[in-house]
Amino acid sequence: MSVLLYLIPIALALGAAGLVAFLWALRQGQFEDMDGAAIRILFDEDEAQR
């Protein structure tokens, strides 16, 4: 039972850290262009430079 006294705060801290990381990525614009990378991979770089 005493292990729960350690595990619950650790789990809450990890959850809070994940939430902070998600909110940081959201504010930095990481989720703005979801289709751009999927489309860019289809084009060859050599054709774009000509």
Side-chain angles (χ1 to χ4, degrees):
M1 192 64 145
S2 64
V3 172
L4 289 177
L5 294 176
Y6 295 109
L7 291 180
I8 290 174
I10 290 172
L12 290 175
L14 286 175
L19 181 62
V20 167
F22 173 73
L23 292 175
W24 175 82
L26 193 62
R27 288 184 184 256
Q28 295 297 319
Q30 295 291 318
F31 305 111
E32 292 294 323
D33 185 19
M34 298 298 288
D35 295 326
I39 293 172
R40 276 193 306 270
I41 199 167
L42 297 175
F43 296 109
D44 193 16
E45 278 188 29
D46 294 335
E47 292 176 10
Q49 291 178 355
R50 289 183 190 176

